[in-house]
Amino acid sequence: MKELNPQFLESKENKQHLIDYLLGVADNYLILGQRLGELCGHGPNLEPDIALTNISLDMLGQVRSFYQYIAQLKGDKTTEDDIAFLRKEREYKNVLLVEQPNTDFGYVIVRQFFFDVYNRMFLGALQQSADETLRALAFKGIKEASYHERFSGDWLKRLGDGTEESHQRVQQAVNDLWVYTDELFHTTKADDAMIAAGVAPDMLQLREYYYEKVEDLLTTATLKIPEVEYFQKGGKEGLHSEHMGYILADMQYMQRTYPDSKW
């Protein structure tokens, strides 16, 4: 396992690339956690309602660890709350997939499954990072990620191979959300720098395996694989969909209205 050179972070450029890379990882957890949090009390029955709420809490727990590491790297008075709540829309680096709305339960499950398969693969690969802190975060999060993938995968099979209505609704969700999946493997300048340094895994090497896993389960769920010519991207560069502003308006309201609030 490659170890990070202690002098690596003495370079301002390297440190900024690491911060930008971490934001790209952590913001996915924050925004998806926020989306799932909106569903508390609105599940189709008690079991998935509680499960989705707990997954939301898992996501927020993961993002705290990443934001704390970013605050440590910045070395100023920046806090995890500042990073979470006081940035502007273009400063968030999450993929477009996680900000898509909770149209119905089928959309929630498909969005979650598409992300969960990627996230479990990502955390598994991150365990080989040259950065000791990231290795620890990956080891900590992999068990939760495995549960998330089982949960969303099981529900996808139930909905796809269920009633005529559930099949139709979840197929529509797959058709609409498929165009956002490829951005998971898009790399930014910061990503490329961290891959070269051995800090970040090269997820592009796992892209084919990702689609194999996803397509296998969709086939089991009697769902069709969409055929698309172009995929959507832009979120990792700060170019978001129309939904992002509404998410931030809701999420940031208390912190911006009552600055430095203590709970």
Side-chain angles (χ1 to χ4, degrees):
M1 183 184 298
K2 183 178 179 181
E3 289 291 343
L4 194 63
N5 189 322
Q7 297 179 335
F8 180 79
L9 294 178
E10 293 181 6
S11 164
K12 290 183 179 180
E13 183 180 23
N14 289 340
K15 182 179 288 188
Q16 188 58 53
H17 280 324
L18 178 54
I19 289 172
D20 290 341
Y21 169 72
L22 292 172
L23 287 173
V25 174
D27 288 347
N28 288 332
Y29 298 136
L30 177 69
I31 299 304
L32 185 54
Q34 178 71 13
R35 272 296 188 218
L36 294 176
E38 296 171 4
L39 295 167
C40 186
H42 297 280
N45 56 52
L46 187 60
E47 188 273 334
D49 189 298
I50 294 174
L52 290 170
T53 301
N54 284 332
I55 293 172
S56 174
L57 292 174
D58 290 342
M59 295 284 178
L60 296 177
Q62 288 178 317
V63 81
R64 285 196 65 192
S65 299
F66 280 95
Y67 285 168
Q68 287 167 359
Y69 187 27
I70 293 171
Q72 176 187 331
L73 289 169
K74 283 179 171 290
D76 52 21
K77 294 183 179 180
T78 299
T79 68
E80 59 182 288
D81 287 343
D82 295 333
I83 300 169
F85 300 121
L86 298 182
R87 282 181 291 154
K88 298 177 182 178
E89 181 177 320
R90 291 289 297 270
E91 296 174 318
Y92 287 82
K93 308 300 181 183
N94 57 279
V95 296
L96 297 173
L97 173 67
V98 298
E99 64 195 49
Q100 299 310 302
N102 301 322
T103 303
D104 60 26
F105 188 61
Y107 273 79
V108 171
I109 292 301
V110 171
R111 183 188 63 203
Q112 193 65 37
F113 178 70
F114 285 168
F115 180 78
D116 287 342
V117 175
Y118 170 83
N119 189 45
R120 186 173 182 273
M121 291 169 48
F122 167 72
L123 291 176
L126 191 64
Q127 292 179 18
Q128 302 302 314
S129 172
D131 186 306
E132 183 179 6
T133 299
L134 292 184
R135 290 201 301 270
L137 293 180
F139 276 110
K140 180 180 178 182
I142 191 71
K143 289 183 179 180
E144 292 176 348
S146 298
Y147 162 71
H148 300 166
E149 183 183 359
R150 288 197 304 273
F151 172 83
S152 58
D154 287 347
W155 266 105
L156 188 57
K157 287 184 284 187
R158 292 171 68 181
L159 294 173
D161 197 23
T163 66
E164 181 179 349
E165 181 179 2
S166 73
H167 176 87
Q168 183 275 325
R169 283 176 176 265
V170 81
Q171 181 66 66
Q172 187 62 55
V174 169
N175 295 344
D176 291 348
L177 295 174
W178 188 261
V179 295
Y180 299 108
T181 55
D182 195 60
E183 189 186 12
L184 292 164
F185 301 92
H186 173 70
T187 59
T188 64
K189 183 178 179 180
D191 294 342
D192 290 336
M194 292 301 100
I195 291 170
V199 172
D202 184 359
M203 294 302 294
L204 192 59
Q205 295 183 2
L206 295 174
R207 180 180 180 275
E208 183 177 350
Y209 179 54
Y210 170 84
Y211 280 109
E212 285 178 1
K213 288 198 66 176
V214 169
E215 291 175 9
D216 282 349
L217 191 133
L218 290 180
T219 301
T220 300
T222 70
L223 297 166
K224 294 181 180 179
I225 312 301
E227 295 183 7
V228 298
E229 188 173 354
Y230 300 104
F231 287 90
Q232 296 287 335
K233 64 181 181 180
K236 296 187 74 171
E237 303 285 356
L239 302 175
H240 297 284
S241 68
E242 67 273 21
H243 308 295
M244 188 66 171
Y246 294 101
I247 296 173
L248 296 183
D250 188 32
M251 186 179 75
Q252 295 183 344
Y253 172 78
M254 289 296 291
Q255 188 66 267
R256 291 189 178 277
T257 305
Y258 303 101
D260 301 321
S261 297
K262 305 300 180 184
W263 306 100

